[in-house]
Amino acid sequence: MAVFDRLPAELYLLILDKLSLFSDLCNCSMASFPQSINDQMQQVSKKWRRLSNDNVLWGRMLSYRCIAIPEASTHTNEPAMGRNKLAFSVWYTQYAGFTDSYTRMHRAFNRLEKWACKACPHVWQSLAPGLVWVSGESVPVRELLSVVSDSPDMRDFIMAHHIHDGQRRRQRFLEYGLFGSYECYGEVCSLSWLSSRMLQIVDMGRFRILVFAWCHVTRNYLGIVVGCPIAHTQRLLHHVIQLQPQSYRFVDKGLFGSFFVSYVDALSSGHHDVHDNVISLMPNTGPHTSTSYTRGIKITITAMFCADETPRYRVYRYQVTLELIDSVQLGYQCVQLESRHWLVHYANHEFVHANGAGVVGEFPVLSVERPFYRYCSRVEDDPAGLEVVGFEGQFTVVPGSLVDPKGPAIELPVPYIELPIPMEII
């Protein structure tokens, strides 16, 4: 201890600045007057205590925890504790039990704001103000008391509604679902984050699902398991899930905090395309995507399991994006889609060919002026019992147009894409 006492104050502050846990900084600021060597090893000196109360250090701790730093007091008599340390103490008392959730979710929303204000401001503008925080109760947000429990696994979910209480349900915001959108055969699905007053618990057989994101058109949803048989408690309770009611097939997305943080990270990293302020529900990269680049044209395909469908067999939606990246490499200013060919693979190693003219009844043109085209379709198990597992294929485009071709047809191969096979509850 004597060696540390001889260190200059600047080195003390550098050492203390490396402490990431507030409890370590609190221990260093304890008042003590040791009477023995053993006491000295466990307590701290007056100098250590004085320096560990430094406002700058506690200001950094506030920033680390995403807490607003209080303005400097106009009074000459600062409290003995220091205003930043006092602010931390007040915050820690107010959010007792929720401090980690507070920091985790504020960091996620800060990243979301930074990304959304540039990429899709309409989505950020649609977020509603957060719920008032009520301290001293087992579940500090009164509006959520009737639908969630006080389990530690639900605290990130409660904190999210404290920061922003879902999305506003105004007509102009309905197409800008926070959790993504897609259009399939003219039907638009937009997963909006529900406010606390619109949360609903849906009974799906032996399971109770708290639906927190919903599309009123397609009935697609995201929900949290708040009740399930004991056999599935450890595996699924409080997990974000998409469950197909008729078959008990599901997609498990983990606990809400991990799901939300990962989703925001994916948005910030550009893993979801954004066009006209609309976030694509299906990511452009990952295990269930396929990307090819041929003659300056990029093709991206991604697939998802459709938990909103009622058939007992599995249904998947897939999204295809065609983009003209380099017209020089293509050798033409525009091309028009002529046909498609798919090779659909099944679990028993059989496959089926599927051919067609154009896509979804259209023959899109890719040009320098309009280089982007996207459509959504579906693939499903054979009703006879064959389980689909993936597909591959190719598109055929014609330089110029189908009416006035400027050269021979060009084949654009699509690599194999593995479908996201859902898990099953037996």
Side-chain angles (χ1 to χ4, degrees):
M1 184 67 70
V3 175
F4 284 99
D5 284 341
R6 291 197 295 269
L7 292 176
E10 292 78 6
L11 287 181
Y12 263 113
L13 294 177
L14 284 175
I15 293 171
L16 294 172
D17 190 37
K18 300 301 180 183
L19 300 177
S20 59
L21 296 176
F22 80 96
S23 57
D24 294 335
L25 200 52
C26 287
N27 289 335
C28 291
S29 64
M30 287 166 47
S32 62
F33 298 93
Q35 301 298 319
S36 66
I37 297 297
N38 290 334
D39 288 339
Q40 283 186 345
M41 296 300 293
Q42 298 176 12
Q43 304 296 335
V44 295
S45 69
K46 292 181 180 179
K47 181 178 180 181
W48 192 276
R49 176 177 179 270
R50 175 174 56 81
L51 292 173
S52 60
N53 278 321
D54 183 78
N55 255 328
V56 175
L57 288 178
W58 282 100
R60 290 173 182 171
M61 187 64 71
L62 292 176
S63 298
Y64 176 79
R65 285 286 188 163
C66 301
I67 308 167
I69 298 177
E71 297 181 0
S73 175
T74 56
H75 301 288
T76 56
N77 297 323
E78 282 278 2
M81 184 182 288
R83 65 176 180 275
N84 288 341
K85 185 178 179 182
L86 180 60
F88 191 96
S89 176
V90 171
W91 168 83
Y92 188 76
T93 302
Q94 182 179 4
Y95 291 97
F98 286 78
T99 54
D100 289 341
S101 292
Y102 180 102
T103 300
R104 180 163 45 250
M105 299 313 295
H106 270 83
R107 286 176 180 170
F109 276 105
N110 288 343
R111 290 198 301 275
L112 179 63
E113 179 181 14
K114 183 178 180 181
W115 171 82
C117 287
K118 293 181 180 179
C120 49
H122 285 22
V123 170
W124 184 252
Q125 293 165 11
S126 72
L127 297 184
L131 298 173
V132 174
W133 191 260
V134 183
S135 60
E137 298 181 10
S138 59
V139 181
V141 181
R142 285 200 179 96
E143 288 82 350
L144 299 182
L145 280 173
S146 60
V147 291
V148 299
S149 68
D150 192 31
S151 166
D153 293 337
M154 294 296 294
R155 291 177 183 176
D156 288 341
F157 178 75
I158 294 172
M159 187 56 63
H161 282 272
H162 170 53
I163 299 171
H164 286 287
D165 188 22
Q167 290 183 272
R168 298 179 176 94
R169 298 296 292 173
R170 297 174 185 171
Q171 187 65 35
R172 64 191 180 100
F173 290 135
L174 290 181
E175 63 180 299
Y176 304 118
L178 174 62
F179 296 106
S181 305
Y182 67 82
E183 181 178 353
C184 188
Y185 297 110
E187 186 178 68
V188 178
C189 171
S190 183
L191 272 178
S192 298
W193 180 22
L194 299 179
S195 70
S196 59
R197 299 187 184 280
M198 297 187 67
L199 294 175
Q200 55 182 310
I201 292 182
V202 179
D203 290 318
M204 296 185 179
R206 298 169 296 164
F207 290 78
R208 304 194 75 206
I209 310 295
L210 169 63
V211 176
F212 67 87
W214 174 261
C215 174
H216 68 284
V217 177
T218 65
R219 295 184 299 172
N220 208 325
Y221 74 95
L222 287 171
I224 297 177
V225 178
V226 293
C228 65
I230 296 177
H232 302 288
T233 297
Q234 186 173 0
R235 180 185 182 188
L236 291 177
L237 188 62
H238 299 140
H239 280 218
V240 176
I241 194 175
Q242 289 177 295
L243 178 70
Q244 189 181 50
Q246 297 295 323
S247 68
Y248 283 112
R249 297 188 178 99
F250 68 95
V251 178
D252 182 7
K253 299 177 180 293
L255 296 174
F256 179 84
S258 299
F259 156 74
F260 190 80
V261 170
S262 297
Y263 178 65
V264 172
D265 287 344
L267 292 177
S268 302
S269 301
H271 294 172
H272 290 259
D273 294 330
V274 178
H275 292 280
D276 297 328
N277 277 279
V278 175
I279 302 171
S280 173
L281 189 148
M282 290 176 264
N284 56 34
T285 185
H288 305 295
T289 59
S290 173
T291 301
S292 61
Y293 189 89
T294 307
R295 294 281 297 270
I297 296 178
K298 180 181 178 182
I299 301 176
T300 303
I301 301 182
T302 183
M304 62 174 282
F305 171 66
C306 298
D308 56 304
E309 297 286 348
T310 56
R312 296 190 65 85
Y313 50 85
R314 289 172 298 195
V315 180
Y316 304 89
R317 283 194 175 91
Y318 64 89
Q319 181 175 270
V320 180
T321 303
L322 298 96
E323 190 171 6
L324 176 57
I325 302 294
D326 189 344
S327 61
V328 175
Q329 186 178 0
L330 176 64
Y332 302 95
Q333 291 296 301
C334 66
V335 293
Q336 186 169 14
L337 181 66
E338 179 184 54
S339 63
R340 69 191 186 280
H341 172 76
W342 295 122
L343 188 63
V344 183
H345 294 257
Y346 292 92
N348 64 351
H349 304 294
E350 292 185 12
F351 55 84
V352 173
H353 292 273
N355 304 297
V359 290
V360 293
E362 298 181 354
F363 298 86
V365 174
L366 297 179
S367 64
V368 176
E369 294 77 19
R370 301 185 66 180
F372 179 89
Y373 178 78
R374 169 177 289 162
Y375 77 94
C376 187
S377 189
R378 54 187 277 165
V379 61
E380 58 194 41
D381 290 345
D382 189 299
L386 292 178
E387 298 179 351
V388 62
V389 294
F391 61 92
E392 58 188 306
Q394 68 179 34
F395 292 100
T396 301
V397 297
V398 174
S401 67
L402 298 178
V403 176
D404 184 20
K406 302 298 183 182
I410 302 171
E411 294 183 349
L412 307 175
V414 177
Y416 178 80
I417 176 172
E418 180 182 356
L419 294 173
I421 309 298
M423 293 179 277
E424 298 190 31
I425 297 172
I426 300 175

